[in-house]
Amino acid sequence: MRTDTDTPWGSLPAREHLPAEAPDARAPTGVPVLDVTIPVHNEEQDLESCVRRLHDHLARTFPYRFRITVADNASTDRTPAVAARLAASIPEVTAYRLEEKGRGRALHTVWSRSDSPVLAYMDVDLSTDLNALLPLVAPLISGHSDLAIGSRLARSSRVVRGPKREFISRAYNLILKSSLSARFSDAQCGFKAIRREVAERLLPMVEDTGWFFDTEMLVLAERAGLRIHEVPVDWVDDPDSRVRIVSTAVEDLKGVWRIGRALALGALPLDRLARPFGDDPRDREIGGVPGGLARQLVGFCVVGALSTLFYLLLYSLFRTASGAQAANAAALLVSAIANTAANRRLTFGVRGRERAVRHQAQGLVVFGIGLALTSGSLAALGAATGNPSHGTELAVLVCANLAATVLRFLLFRAWVFPDRRGGDDQPTIRMEPNTQERSAR
């Protein structure tokens, strides 16, 4: 997986509505608000009619400046000449040539070089009704969402296609939901958009250069907590589609396995995609409150409850073969390692292997403090009663663990996983607006 170190660290700036344009701002000068990429390979027959139809639609209905970019990836027919002719005759059209095939490669290259704040793409066959284009990009322009996708599987979508492709599409999305816990409904519809500042950080993490590019981008964005807007679309299947279903399906399954393994190992720096508070001016006026405290408390309590059950189960298991003190120490050690790992990932949002060993070592120090509390409680119980029952031991240990839990959270938050504003460990919540980034946008 790609974890390019030159990707900017820290939280993304707060989403903001793009500035409205003056009535005469439709002139083809300045930076276009929307850049629609059309990736093509050997499409000399359909390219010109597609581009002219899309241009006519945008010129009539889109209230901002726009650009249409034809991304030709290694065509061997007259597609490059057609694209060049369109770029020469229509001011809002540009052509880009890549010498290697791959829809993902084409989108990655063009989006990475575009200066438009909203980036979109659609397939050259225009299977999707163009009336969905403005609803697709509107949430990105308004600052409401980070990505937007067209969905052929939404209830209100109207789709015309054969049963074979319908079955494959639904089966593929079912695989994504069951294996990667994906919540978006349609990964492969060729109709998507993304805000540029999100693409700048997300694209370097996307490894696939082919048809799995869309899925990988969406899964990473969703896991990072970015907002994905879905638009129901009217879609008519292209009978001349050149997608090789079997080979594409095999590559997609390989991609699902690769992404699932990377997410399980925490090998992706998804904290670079975190969105801070700050959209509401009231958020910026709050001072002296550590970021994410409420969320961390909830996460810590959930992890703590599960860890306590795990600890009690281990203690009961170990107690059948050893004394109370040995069983307590062994159960607490195993559960402490699991607790630190779970809190690292789920409560404090630290991903990747960096400092993982250090965090576990610090967690063991916290474990030592908990061991002292619980062992001291058992020693005090033994001195007071002589031979306490197993139920009494468990009750005392529950009370001791509650006290140790409070102390553990404070130590985790202040020492093991501190809130490093602008640091490397985790996403942070910026309570002040980033004026430098805002002015740059």
Side-chain angles (χ1 to χ4, degrees):
M1 296 304 301
R2 295 179 178 174
T3 56
D4 304 51
T5 56
D6 58 346
T7 302
W9 283 95
S11 298
L12 283 163
R15 288 185 297 265
E16 291 185 342
H17 197 303
L18 297 178
E21 295 188 331
D24 60 348
R26 290 284 300 278
T29 59
V31 177
V33 169
L34 174 65
D35 190 345
V36 182
T37 301
I38 303 177
V40 292
H41 175 75
N42 291 344
E43 296 287 354
E44 62 178 355
Q45 297 296 328
D46 299 328
L47 178 57
E48 182 165 2
S49 60
C50 161
V51 170
R52 292 192 179 278
R53 179 183 165 198
L54 175 59
H55 178 268
D56 177 69
H57 177 83
L58 289 171
R60 287 186 296 103
T61 65
F62 194 67
Y64 294 88
R65 287 192 295 269
F66 63 88
R67 176 193 299 132
I68 300 172
T69 301
V70 179
D72 169 40
N73 48 113
S75 291
T76 56
D77 62 359
R78 295 184 59 257
T79 297
V82 175
R85 185 172 69 249
L86 289 168
S89 60
I90 305 176
E92 291 84 6
V93 175
T94 61
Y96 196 92
R97 166 75 177 181
L98 292 89
E99 298 302 329
E100 296 180 87
K101 286 183 62 176
R103 182 179 70 171
R105 178 180 285 108
L107 292 175
H108 187 290
T109 302
V110 172
W111 282 358
S112 297
R113 301 187 180 194
S114 178
D115 55 356
S116 296
V118 176
L119 312 170
Y121 95 89
M122 60 176 52
D123 292 334
V124 68
D125 54 22
L126 295 187
S127 294
T128 304
D129 181 13
L130 292 180
N131 287 327
L133 182 55
L134 183 55
L136 181 80
V137 300
L140 309 187
I141 294 174
S142 70
H144 175 270
S145 301
D146 298 294
L147 297 91
I149 65 174
S151 175
R152 299 163 296 184
L153 303 180
R155 286 182 177 272
S156 56
S157 297
R158 295 186 297 178
V159 177
V160 178
R161 61 176 168 180
K164 180 180 178 181
R165 294 181 67 92
E166 179 76 8
F167 172 77
I168 292 174
S169 180
R170 291 188 178 275
Y172 179 66
N173 283 280
L174 181 62
I175 291 173
L176 294 181
K177 291 179 183 295
S178 59
S179 61
L180 298 178
S181 301
R183 294 189 297 273
F184 48 85
S185 64
D186 192 351
Q188 291 287 28
C189 180
F191 194 65
K192 295 181 176 67
I194 185 172
R195 285 179 67 105
R196 181 166 59 88
E197 75 271 15
V198 177
E200 287 174 349
R201 302 194 187 192
L202 178 57
L203 294 183
M205 301 182 194
V206 179
E207 183 174 326
D208 190 81
T209 59
W211 293 97
F212 188 69
F213 173 88
D214 302 54
T215 301
E216 186 170 356
M217 178 180 68
L218 291 175
V219 169
L220 298 185
E222 187 175 76
R223 287 299 184 96
L226 297 180
R227 184 174 294 160
I228 301 175
H229 178 74
E230 295 199 20
V231 178
V233 297
D234 296 344
W235 195 86
V236 179
D237 191 13
D238 178 15
D240 191 35
S241 176
R242 302 173 189 177
V243 179
R244 298 176 181 175
I245 296 178
V246 176
S247 60
T248 300
V250 171
E251 292 302 315
D252 285 349
L253 292 176
K254 291 180 180 179
V256 170
W257 167 256
R258 174 173 54 82
I259 292 297
R261 182 178 60 180
L263 292 172
L265 296 175
L268 293 166
L270 298 181
D271 52 307
R272 304 183 191 185
L273 300 172
R275 278 286 192 192
F277 287 109
D279 301 71
D280 190 327
R282 293 172 298 179
D283 296 331
R284 303 167 187 164
E285 297 172 358
I286 300 175
V289 179
L293 177 60
R295 181 189 61 79
Q296 290 177 357
L297 278 172
V298 172
F300 184 81
C301 288
V302 172
V303 172
L306 296 176
S307 297
T308 300
L309 293 176
F310 183 49
Y311 161 77
L312 293 176
L313 178 63
L314 289 176
Y315 177 80
S316 298
L317 180 64
F318 295 152
R319 187 67 175 87
T320 61
S322 62
Q325 292 288 2
N328 174 63
L332 196 57
L333 175 61
V334 175
S335 61
I337 294 175
N339 181 277
T340 300
N343 276 306
R344 181 179 190 270
R345 175 66 175 83
L346 302 176
T347 303
F348 298 97
V350 181
R351 300 174 176 87
R353 300 178 182 179
E354 186 178 1
R355 299 189 182 183
V357 176
R358 175 181 173 180
H359 291 156
Q360 281 292 349
Q362 291 173 310
L364 289 177
V365 174
V366 178
F367 148 75
I369 297 174
L371 177 62
L373 283 173
T374 53
S375 296
S377 300
L378 282 176
L381 177 64
T385 61
N387 187 24
S389 66
H390 181 65
T392 304
E393 286 181 349
L394 289 179
V396 170
L397 286 174
V398 168
C399 294
N401 268 290
L402 287 176
T405 296
V406 176
L407 182 59
R408 186 182 303 120
F409 177 77
L410 296 176
L411 290 174
F412 272 172
R413 184 173 174 80
W415 179 49
V416 184
F417 309 111
D419 183 6
R420 302 177 186 274
R421 298 186 181 276
D424 293 349
D425 276 6
Q426 66 185 77
T428 59
I429 295 179
R430 296 181 183 174
M431 308 311 294
E432 296 296 332
N434 191 322
T435 55
Q436 182 178 359
E437 288 181 316
R438 181 173 296 113
S439 62
R441 296 199 310 166

